[in-house]
Amino acid sequence: QVAAQQGLRFFSIRKQRFERTMVAMAMATVPVLAFSALSVLSFASDDLDTLDTLDKVLAGYEEGLNLLQRKNQRQTVRMQEQHEASSNETAMWQGARETGNICMWSNCEQSLGPTECYHFRCVCQMDFVYSERVKQCVHRYTPEGREVVLPQDTGATCYFNDCTAKFTVCSDSKCLCIPGFVYLAGQGTYGGCQRDPNLFPPNQHWSQSDDLHRWQEQQQHQQQQQQTTSAPQSSRASCGQHPKCAGLAGDCCPNELGLSLACCNRINGPKA
């Protein structure tokens, strides 16, 4: 009788251990396995004959739980490594936001304007650029800011990857808005590269949907050209070939949408 009581006590302890393991597995997002194991437990009686069976089931599920935990740990480590690699790549250079000052032992000087300490370097806040002339961070849309970056400059680079945002092209390893479009800070409909109507001929009818349709057609045409033999673009399309287009980068006459800007010589390029 004493032996039977001891066996039941051990059985109760192992049963509780089994239940705790099932709860842990349920929390580890494996409800199907946990439900199956709990079903086995519900059919098990308090008879000592079920002890060996429960021990085997428990050992198997504990091993499965350990495997899941190790897998999750490996995934977490990989995600951390990818994040660190991305951070290190970004930490190398912030372009026009770099002030040349460090913040390893102290905060950034207030005289620099709106800055933040980034990887022990003082960089201008988003949408601000550092002006060597005024020795401060200035907003990119101010006259001082336009001296540093083009209104077309999105701030993205294309050193290793193509520009993916709509109405952008890669020029000198920078992702620029196509001529006739300027970069606007923000997200959604109001952010990114947007048409500047002042750069196009007056009384020209247009809509955002028309521009997007032209852009999508141009992308498809470009892909088809890459698969065959692409014809060289006429040098007369370059903004630099038209004096009134000075300050714009890329092709203006016409641009990537097949539209000629107001700065184009009237005798050159197709009309919009």
Side-chain angles (χ1 to χ4, degrees):
Q1 184 178 1
V2 174
Q5 291 177 350
Q6 291 178 345
L8 287 173
R9 185 163 58 252
F10 286 127
F11 177 84
S12 178
I13 293 174
R14 295 191 181 185
K15 185 176 180 180
Q16 291 175 1
R17 179 188 171 199
F18 187 89
E19 291 173 337
R20 286 196 300 269
T21 303
M22 294 306 102
V23 172
M25 292 186 69
M27 295 177 65
T29 66
V30 284
V32 175
L33 295 177
F35 176 80
S36 301
L38 288 173
S39 299
V40 174
L41 185 62
S42 64
F43 284 108
S45 65
D46 289 340
D47 188 78
L48 293 176
D49 293 339
T50 61
L51 186 58
D52 292 338
T53 302
L54 287 177
D55 277 341
K56 294 178 181 178
V57 174
L58 176 60
Y61 279 104
E62 282 183 334
E63 179 63 23
L65 179 60
N66 291 333
L67 289 173
L68 284 174
Q69 290 175 340
R70 288 196 293 269
K71 181 179 179 181
N72 290 336
Q73 289 174 353
R74 288 194 297 269
Q75 291 178 344
T76 301
V77 170
R78 282 197 296 268
M79 292 176 63
Q80 290 176 346
E81 291 176 348
Q82 292 174 357
H83 175 72
E84 291 175 359
S86 177
S87 299
N88 291 335
E89 181 180 349
T90 306
M92 293 177 60
W93 186 246
Q94 288 296 306
R97 296 173 60 197
E98 297 283 350
T99 67
N101 292 262
I102 62 174
C103 48
M104 183 175 294
W105 311 113
S106 61
N107 296 328
C108 299
E109 297 181 5
Q110 292 184 354
S111 60
L112 293 174
T115 58
E116 60 182 273
C117 187
Y118 183 78
H119 289 270
F120 306 112
R121 304 194 314 277
C122 294
V123 300
C124 299
Q125 294 180 3
M126 291 298 297
D127 295 320
F128 285 79
V129 294
Y130 184 72
S131 170
E132 287 286 352
R133 184 169 64 83
V134 299
K135 304 300 181 183
Q136 273 189 337
C137 293
V138 296
H139 199 280
R140 58 173 295 156
Y141 299 143
T142 61
E144 295 81 5
R146 291 178 184 273
E147 294 176 0
V148 181
V149 294
L150 292 171
Q152 297 172 249
D153 197 337
T154 66
T157 61
C158 46
Y159 289 106
F160 307 106
N161 299 314
D162 295 331
C163 303
T164 57
K166 60 184 178 181
F167 308 127
T168 59
V169 292
C170 183
S171 177
D172 293 331
S173 301
K174 298 179 181 179
C175 291
L176 304 181
C177 298
I178 62 175
F181 287 67
V182 295
Y183 177 76
L184 299 180
Q187 297 180 352
T189 307
Y190 303 101
C193 295
Q194 301 287 342
R195 175 193 277 245
D196 184 353
N198 296 322
L199 297 177
F200 289 89
N203 303 322
Q204 184 184 85
H205 298 287
W206 67 279
S207 66
Q208 290 183 343
S209 59
D210 289 340
D211 286 343
L212 182 59
H213 180 67
R214 286 175 179 268
W215 175 254
Q216 292 172 342
E217 284 188 336
Q218 186 270 342
Q219 294 295 297
Q220 293 177 356
H221 179 66
Q222 186 177 17
Q223 291 177 357
Q224 292 175 354
Q225 283 188 333
Q226 291 176 351
Q227 294 174 356
T228 57
T229 302
S230 58
Q233 182 76 21
S234 172
S235 60
R236 295 299 297 171
S238 172
C239 301
Q241 295 294 322
H242 302 263
K244 293 183 179 180
C245 296
L248 297 177
D251 293 335
C252 294
C253 310
N255 64 7
E256 280 74 9
L257 300 186
L259 303 175
S260 294
L261 276 61
C263 60
C264 299
N265 298 333
R266 295 300 179 184
I267 60 174
N268 295 308
K271 295 182 179 181

